Amino acid sequence: MKEDVPNGGTETCELFIDGKPGLFAKQIWWREEDSIAEVASVQAMVKTGEVSSDQKYLHSGTGAVGRPAGCVDFDHPQQKLYTVIQVFAAGRDDKPAMQRLITDYTTTVEKSAACPHDVVSSSR
């Protein structure tokens, strides 16, 4: 497993199997005005996916994107935090599993220090 922080706005955890990419999990800050489908469109392995009715999740059989609620970071103004899961392991395509995985991952990120909340507005 390799953890990487490619820039100030993205954190990546990469799982390799026999030296080959297996699964990547990312947290990325992205332009506020873009939709979840736009974020997903540039993520390898996410492909065209199903968007949840609340527009919070998009998943395909090999990738998914989620939008944790309430994350605010003054280092990333006018951006939203997104979670991304990408499966590179050959022969793996499971939409229900990806839906569960992105939901659990996004919920965990929402509750973590990776998702800072706007303490100024919440204390008013």
Side-chain angles (χ1 to χ4, degrees), residues 52-67:
S52 63
S53 60
D54 62 2
Q55 303 291 306
K56 187 173 177 176
Y57 302 103
L58 181 148
H59 72 281
S60 68
T62 57
V65 177
R67 187 171 37 86

PDB file of all heavy atoms in Angstrom, residues 52-67:
ATOM      1  N   SER A  52     -26.979   8.978  -7.775  1.00  0.00           N
ATOM      2  CA  SER A  52     -28.035   8.834  -6.773  1.00  0.00           C
ATOM      3  C   SER A  52     -29.033   9.983  -6.889  1.00  0.00           C
ATOM      4  O   SER A  52     -28.712  11.050  -7.422  1.00  0.00           O
ATOM      5  CB  SER A  52     -27.432   8.798  -5.361  1.00  0.00           C
ATOM      6  OG  SER A  52     -26.781  10.019  -5.077  1.00  0.00           O
ATOM      7  N   SER A  53     -30.235   9.786  -6.405  1.00  0.00           N
ATOM      8  CA  SER A  53     -31.291  10.798  -6.511  1.00  0.00           C
ATOM      9  C   SER A  53     -30.923  12.104  -5.814  1.00  0.00           C
ATOM     10  O   SER A  53     -31.351  13.176  -6.223  1.00  0.00           O
ATOM     11  CB  SER A  53     -32.609  10.261  -5.966  1.00  0.00           C
ATOM     12  OG  SER A  53     -32.468   9.905  -4.605  1.00  0.00           O
ATOM     13  N   ASP A  54     -30.088  12.037  -4.770  1.00  0.00           N
ATOM     14  CA  ASP A  54     -29.670  13.252  -4.069  1.00  0.00           C
ATOM     15  C   ASP A  54     -28.412  13.892  -4.670  1.00  0.00           C
ATOM     16  O   ASP A  54     -27.904  14.865  -4.136  1.00  0.00           O
ATOM     17  CB  ASP A  54     -29.461  12.968  -2.586  1.00  0.00           C
ATOM     18  CG  ASP A  54     -28.370  11.943  -2.307  1.00  0.00           C
ATOM     19  OD1 ASP A  54     -27.723  11.450  -3.264  1.00  0.00           O
ATOM     20  OD2 ASP A  54     -28.171  11.606  -1.125  1.00  0.00           O
ATOM     21  N   GLN A  55     -27.912  13.323  -5.776  1.00  0.00           N
ATOM     22  CA  GLN A  55     -26.734  13.835  -6.488  1.00  0.00           C
ATOM     23  C   GLN A  55     -25.457  13.766  -5.642  1.00  0.00           C
ATOM     24  O   GLN A  55     -24.477  14.440  -5.920  1.00  0.00           O
ATOM     25  CB  GLN A  55     -26.943  15.283  -6.955  1.00  0.00           C
ATOM     26  CG  GLN A  55     -28.150  15.489  -7.841  1.00  0.00           C
ATOM     27  CD  GLN A  55     -27.977  14.836  -9.193  1.00  0.00           C
ATOM     28  OE1 GLN A  55     -27.012  15.075  -9.887  1.00  0.00           O
ATOM     29  NE2 GLN A  55     -28.922  13.995  -9.562  1.00  0.00           N
ATOM     30  N   LYS A  56     -25.463  12.947  -4.604  1.00  0.00           N
ATOM     31  CA  LYS A  56     -24.313  12.843  -3.696  1.00  0.00           C
ATOM     32  C   LYS A  56     -23.338  11.740  -4.111  1.00  0.00           C
ATOM     33  O   LYS A  56     -22.170  11.787  -3.747  1.00  0.00           O
ATOM     34  CB  LYS A  56     -24.816  12.596  -2.274  1.00  0.00           C
ATOM     35  CG  LYS A  56     -23.738  12.625  -1.227  1.00  0.00           C
ATOM     36  CD  LYS A  56     -24.300  12.539   0.169  1.00  0.00           C
ATOM     37  CE  LYS A  56     -23.181  12.492   1.180  1.00  0.00           C
ATOM     38  NZ  LYS A  56     -23.641  12.498   2.555  1.00  0.00           N
ATOM     39  N   TYR A  57     -23.810  10.753  -4.881  1.00  0.00           N
ATOM     40  CA  TYR A  57     -22.979   9.618  -5.262  1.00  0.00           C
ATOM     41  C   TYR A  57     -23.142   9.299  -6.741  1.00  0.00           C
ATOM     42  O   TYR A  57     -24.215   9.469  -7.308  1.00  0.00           O
ATOM     43  CB  TYR A  57     -23.362   8.360  -4.470  1.00  0.00           C
ATOM     44  CG  TYR A  57     -23.268   8.523  -2.983  1.00  0.00           C
ATOM     45  CD1 TYR A  57     -24.402   8.702  -2.201  1.00  0.00           C
ATOM     46  CD2 TYR A  57     -22.034   8.504  -2.349  1.00  0.00           C
ATOM     47  CE1 TYR A  57     -24.315   8.862  -0.831  1.00  0.00           C
ATOM     48  CE2 TYR A  57     -21.932   8.658  -0.977  1.00  0.00           C
ATOM     49  CZ  TYR A  57     -23.076   8.837  -0.225  1.00  0.00           C
ATOM     50  OH  TYR A  57     -22.980   8.992   1.125  1.00  0.00           O
ATOM     51  N   LEU A  58     -22.077   8.799  -7.338  1.00  0.00           N
ATOM     52  CA  LEU A  58     -22.101   8.249  -8.685  1.00  0.00           C
ATOM     53  C   LEU A  58     -21.264   6.985  -8.627  1.00  0.00           C
ATOM     54  O   LEU A  58     -20.166   6.996  -8.068  1.00  0.00           O
ATOM     55  CB  LEU A  58     -21.506   9.241  -9.685  1.00  0.00           C
ATOM     56  CG  LEU A  58     -21.493   8.793 -11.141  1.00  0.00           C
ATOM     57  CD1 LEU A  58     -21.653  10.001 -12.057  1.00  0.00           C
ATOM     58  CD2 LEU A  58     -20.254   8.018 -11.509  1.00  0.00           C
ATOM     59  N   HIS A  59     -21.789   5.886  -9.186  1.00  0.00           N
ATOM     60  CA  HIS A  59     -21.020   4.645  -9.150  1.00  0.00           C
ATOM     61  C   HIS A  59     -21.207   3.855 -10.436  1.00  0.00           C
ATOM     62  O   HIS A  59     -22.251   3.890 -11.064  1.00  0.00           O
ATOM     63  CB  HIS A  59     -21.394   3.788  -7.940  1.00  0.00           C
ATOM     64  CG  HIS A  59     -22.747   3.161  -8.069  1.00  0.00           C
ATOM     65  ND1 HIS A  59     -23.907   3.851  -7.833  1.00  0.00           N
ATOM     66  CD2 HIS A  59     -23.107   1.910  -8.427  1.00  0.00           C
ATOM     67  CE1 HIS A  59     -24.937   3.049  -8.037  1.00  0.00           C
ATOM     68  NE2 HIS A  59     -24.480   1.859  -8.398  1.00  0.00           N
ATOM     69  N   SER A  60     -20.143   3.186 -10.816  1.00  0.00           N
ATOM     70  CA  SER A  60     -20.167   2.211 -11.912  1.00  0.00           C
ATOM     71  C   SER A  60     -19.651   0.912 -11.310  1.00  0.00           C
ATOM     72  O   SER A  60     -19.474   0.825 -10.095  1.00  0.00           O
ATOM     73  CB  SER A  60     -19.279   2.686 -13.072  1.00  0.00           C
ATOM     74  OG  SER A  60     -17.910   2.659 -12.702  1.00  0.00           O
ATOM     75  N   GLY A  61     -19.364  -0.070 -12.137  1.00  0.00           N
ATOM     76  CA  GLY A  61     -18.879  -1.339 -11.621  1.00  0.00           C
ATOM     77  C   GLY A  61     -17.434  -1.312 -11.175  1.00  0.00           C
ATOM     78  O   GLY A  61     -16.996  -2.150 -10.397  1.00  0.00           O
ATOM     79  N   THR A  62     -16.668  -0.318 -11.653  1.00  0.00           N
ATOM     80  CA  THR A  62     -15.234  -0.269 -11.337  1.00  0.00           C
ATOM     81  C   THR A  62     -14.789   1.045 -10.702  1.00  0.00           C
ATOM     82  O   THR A  62     -13.602   1.260 -10.493  1.00  0.00           O
ATOM     83  CB  THR A  62     -14.396  -0.498 -12.608  1.00  0.00           C
ATOM     84  OG1 THR A  62     -14.770   0.480 -13.581  1.00  0.00           O
ATOM     85  CG2 THR A  62     -14.602  -1.900 -13.159  1.00  0.00           C
ATOM     86  N   GLY A  63     -15.732   1.909 -10.391  1.00  0.00           N
ATOM     87  CA  GLY A  63     -15.346   3.168  -9.768  1.00  0.00           C
ATOM     88  C   GLY A  63     -16.543   3.927  -9.249  1.00  0.00           C
ATOM     89  O   GLY A  63     -17.687   3.641  -9.603  1.00  0.00           O
ATOM     90  N   ALA A  64     -16.263   4.910  -8.402  1.00  0.00           N
ATOM     91  CA  ALA A  64     -17.341   5.688  -7.810  1.00  0.00           C
ATOM     92  C   ALA A  64     -16.806   7.013  -7.292  1.00  0.00           C
ATOM     93  O   ALA A  64     -15.620   7.158  -6.992  1.00  0.00           O
ATOM     94  CB  ALA A  64     -17.982   4.903  -6.674  1.00  0.00           C
ATOM     95  N   VAL A  65     -17.716   7.978  -7.187  1.00  0.00           N
ATOM     96  CA  VAL A  65     -17.405   9.294  -6.650  1.00  0.00           C
ATOM     97  C   VAL A  65     -18.483   9.647  -5.638  1.00  0.00           C
ATOM     98  O   VAL A  65     -19.665   9.363  -5.854  1.00  0.00           O
ATOM     99  CB  VAL A  65     -17.366  10.369  -7.769  1.00  0.00           C
ATOM    100  CG1 VAL A  65     -17.122  11.757  -7.194  1.00  0.00           C
ATOM    101  CG2 VAL A  65     -16.303  10.036  -8.797  1.00  0.00           C
ATOM    102  N   GLY A  66     -18.074  10.254  -4.529  1.00  0.00           N
ATOM    103  CA  GLY A  66     -19.017  10.709  -3.507  1.00  0.00           C
ATOM    104  C   GLY A  66     -18.710  12.141  -3.121  1.00  0.00           C
ATOM    105  O   GLY A  66     -17.602  12.636  -3.334  1.00  0.00           O
ATOM    106  N   ARG A  67     -19.705  12.819  -2.566  1.00  0.00           N
ATOM    107  CA  ARG A  67     -19.522  14.202  -2.119  1.00  0.00           C
ATOM    108  C   ARG A  67     -19.860  14.295  -0.635  1.00  0.00           C
ATOM    109  O   ARG A  67     -21.021  14.357  -0.256  1.00  0.00           O
ATOM    110  CB  ARG A  67     -20.415  15.146  -2.926  1.00  0.00           C
ATOM    111  CG  ARG A  67     -20.163  16.608  -2.646  1.00  0.00           C
ATOM    112  CD  ARG A  67     -20.894  17.522  -3.610  1.00  0.00           C
ATOM    113  NE  ARG A  67     -22.211  17.074  -3.996  1.00  0.00           N
ATOM    114  CZ  ARG A  67     -23.334  17.323  -3.322  1.00  0.00           C
ATOM    115  NH1 ARG A  67     -23.308  18.008  -2.206  1.00  0.00           N
ATOM    116  NH2 ARG A  67     -24.494  16.883  -3.769  1.00  0.00           N
TER     117      ARG A  67
END
